[in-house]
Amino acid sequence: MGMWDNELTRLLNIEYPIIQAPMAGGVTSPDLIAAVSNSGGLGMMGAGYMAPGQIREQIRQIRQLTDKPFGINLFVPTNYTIDREKINLVKHSMKHIMEKLKYQSEDIEIPSFEENIDNFKEQINIIIDEKVPICTFTFGIPSADVINQLKNHSIIVIGTATTVEEAILNEKAEMDAVVLQGSEAGGHRGTFKKSIQESLIGLISLIPQASDHVHIPLIAAGGIMDGRGVMAAKCLGAKGFQFGTAFLTCVESGANQVYKDAILHSTEDQTVLTTAFSGKIARGIKNTFITEMEKVKEDIPVYPIQNELTKGIRKAAGTLKNQEYMSLWSGQSPRLAKSSTAKELIEQIISETEKISSSYSN
Amino acid sequence: MGMWDNELTRLLNIEYPIIQAPMAGGVTSPDLIAAVSNSGGLGMMGAGYMAPGQIREQIRQIRQLTDKPFGINLFVPTNYTIDREKINLVKHSMKHIMEKLKYQSEDIEIPSFEENIDNFKEQINIIIDEKVPICTFTFGIPSADVINQLKNHSIIVIGTATTVEEAILNEKAEMDAVVLQGSEAGGHRGTFKKSIQESLIGLISLIPQASDHVHIPLIAAGGIMDGRGVMAAKCLGAKGFQFGTAFLTCVESGANQVYKDAILHSTEDQTVLTTAFSGKIARGIKNTFITEMEKVKEDIPVYPIQNELTKGIRKAAGTLKNQEYMSLWSGQSPRLAKSSTAKELIEQIISETEKISSSYSN
């Protein structure tokens, strides 16, 4: 298809510039990743939280299912110190929730920043060792050493930006492309240079302004669910289109059915920004946990501490199918979510985009 | 032009579905309104704050400059009670600012809600009396009586929505079209049914979801500054394109030059949402006044009380050309602002849109 061939599809060696967002927490199952890549898009593993061994295992599972390119997303470690007092405060605030979910709090071991860095290095080593073709980053730009190491092994590197300045920094760091995360996007904000207030930019503003200042291919992320969103982002200057929520509700996604159903029954006005689950701000469907933690929001420790502290609660809630205490990350377009296969979704996106495009050729 | 002819241009009897946003506070001068309408778009008077006599005078000035259609925007009165204690608190907090600006606080008379309603009725009467072809509303939906009264005089009525539900309510109230105000938009949020947190929806999410549920023509507003934004909004399902910030920096706009320059030198990450100036949440470029009022934000009275209380400060700051204490409303795309004439801007938007559109006809 002539309309799909561009610098990004050539860079990534894929047929369509449709990228499945690297959602962490088990959503991006090998089945989902392979289905997306087999359908001409790019499947992505959300490996931010994953142990190096687990990443290697999943890479091998994906390779059983597809010989097409796929990518892996990692979280760039951000500095933090462990404040025991704050941890005890927030643990105390969450006690009644644990009791409600009949979850016995074990002793939670919180990794130090140094352990986090070691883990990140091991993750990078596995990506190189397994010759994964594409590696993307959230929460910052890794060191020039890491970028060079990957590039020396012919691995394509892609960063994430939420402002024009962050996009420029990614280009300066020699990223091959950059994901522009609009304020519409579900899940964690990738912001690393600016405050949250400064970096909630809608895609209709963010793409053209970034496009005027950045020369590497731009991948639009946030609120895009169908051919209308693809054509809009394309007109604004994007070369690639990242879909998170749209793939999350697909049959192959590893998300809990309760979570999928929550999205399928939500409206655009039901998502909020919260630090309740992880300590880092993220967009998800409002529920009881978010509302309750809002009252003690000053006590919530930073990422990844709060993430470790709520792990048991989220897991217990998932087992009990209680959506009120699960993290229900979603972008601002849940009304457009469907429960189809990834292949059907991609085919539909492609045909709708081509239909809109050809409506301009009269 | 075939690509511009649609139900909205036919409804409004205009050549291009390019609408100049009704910015209040003197921005939408008769010169600007007439220049937009004379160039094939729709000029709009931001009359929310204007006294009925002033509206009549401006209508007559506009008619001296153009015989094309133009519109007037009014604020639907929202209930409030005057809390003297709160007023004294916030006045005290602003005292040092008044001193800094050498502004002597007069006795400020705050109109009652009942007076506000009477003023609104008079505004409506003048619109009918002067046979203004189009009347649009912000901050809510007027009573069925008001809508019928206007419709009986063949005046086209258009509402404002920030969520799908608000768009549906506008359609149910028999509005002829509805403006979808995305989270990117500068100035006051038109939200009337939902909380602010629920209603900051990016246009790339808001337009297609509204388009699936509403049948009256949708006018996209927020962050649109050029042909890229028009084509994007068009692909998403909008029939009209409202430009605020883009017209604000035009030669004919009545905005203070300091204000225009502030926008022309800003970036997308410099606008914030604040209630500091009027008591109602609005997007503008962050400055000292916003930062200082943030400390006492719990004390800020609701609209229109705070608006009356800060009037003198804003006026004094404008006279002193001190942008730190003026309301610098701006959408999220200030990098795309230019200082051209309204005619040049419209011609540029039209030719860029047609160029993008025709790039799909190969």
Side-chain angles (χ1 to χ4, degrees), chain B residues 2 179 204 229 235:
Chain B
V179 174
I204 216 164
C235 292

Side-chain angles (χ1 to χ4, degrees), chain B residues 45-313:
Chain B
M45 190 195 301
Y49 299 136
M50 284 161 65
Q54 208 186 350
I55 296 177
R56 195 189 293 273
E57 199 188 303
Q58 288 221 355
I59 293 171
R60 293 179 178 177
Q61 286 173 20
I62 295 164
R63 289 228 159 102
Q64 301 271 318
L65 302 167
T66 185
D67 54 6
K68 302 271 178 172
F70 64 94
I72 293 188
N73 175 263
L74 299 179
F75 295 160
V76 178
T78 43
N79 206 346
Y80 60 94
T81 45
I82 296 170
D83 178 341
R84 289 282 158 203
E85 215 170 305
K86 225 173 173 181
I87 289 176
N88 289 333
L89 263 175
V90 80
K91 268 176 126 172
H92 183 77
S93 308
M94 300 193 302
K95 210 175 160 205
H96 70 288
I97 297 171
M98 292 189 187
E99 281 164 10
K100 196 180 175 120
L101 300 175
K102 298 190 175 59
Y103 160 66
Q104 299 292 333
S105 158
E106 303 131 44
D107 262 350
I108 299 163
E109 268 200 56
I110 294 164
S112 68
F113 176 53
E114 290 68 30
E115 288 172 296
N116 228 307
I117 289 183
D118 288 343
N119 189 57
F120 180 69
K121 280 184 193 157
E122 273 188 76
Q123 290 176 326
I124 295 284
N125 287 339
I126 284 177
I127 288 172
I128 291 171
D129 194 42
E130 293 285 338
K131 298 184 171 49
V132 175
I134 297 142
C135 183
T136 78
F137 297 96
T138 316
F139 303 152
I141 299 174
S143 67
D145 267 5
V146 168
I147 295 175
N148 287 335
Q149 207 189 340
L150 291 164
K151 290 196 145 198
N152 288 341
H153 289 85
S154 305
I155 294 169
I156 291 154
V157 286
I158 299 178
T160 305
T162 61
T163 64
V164 176
E165 189 191 345
E166 288 180 351
I168 292 170
L169 289 172
N170 270 285
E171 182 169 56
K172 280 193 180 150
E174 298 191 25
M175 290 289 179
D176 295 301
V178 64
V179 174
L180 293 178
Q181 187 189 34
S183 55
E184 301 89 349
H188 283 96
R189 302 293 305 154
T191 304
F192 59 94
K193 188 72 188 172
K194 297 277 172 172
S195 74
I196 284 302
Q197 279 68 30
E198 294 167 317
S199 56
L200 286 167
I201 318 293
L203 277 185
I204 216 164
S205 284
L206 183 57
I207 305 172
Q209 291 179 96
S211 174
D212 289 348
H213 293 274
V214 172
H215 310 92
I216 52 176
L218 303 176
I219 298 163
I224 303 175
M225 304 286 279
D226 58 21
R228 293 176 289 186
V230 169
M231 270 305 286
K234 194 174 157 77
C235 292
L236 293 166
K239 301 293 179 206
F241 316 97
Q242 188 164 293
F243 292 67
T245 313
F247 282 116
L248 196 147
T249 56
C250 278
V251 177
E252 298 92 337
S253 130
N256 192 312
Q257 190 59 43
V258 188
Y259 179 9
K260 293 184 185 181
D261 288 341
I263 291 175
L264 291 164
H265 295 102
S266 285
T267 53
E268 81 293 346
D269 45 8
Q270 290 181 306
T271 76
V272 289
L273 292 163
T274 182
T275 58
F277 290 103
S278 71
K280 232 188 225 302
I281 208 149
R283 183 181 294 286
I285 298 165
K286 196 173 185 169
N287 61 7
T288 308
F289 188 74
I290 294 174
T291 310
E292 294 204 5
M293 295 307 289
E294 189 65 23
K295 297 175 210 153
V296 294
K297 67 177 170 188
E298 306 304 327
D299 298 336
I300 297 175
V302 296
Y303 178 88
I305 303 168
Q306 179 70 357
N307 193 59
E308 298 294 331
L309 296 178
T310 66
K311 217 178 234 176
I313 290 174

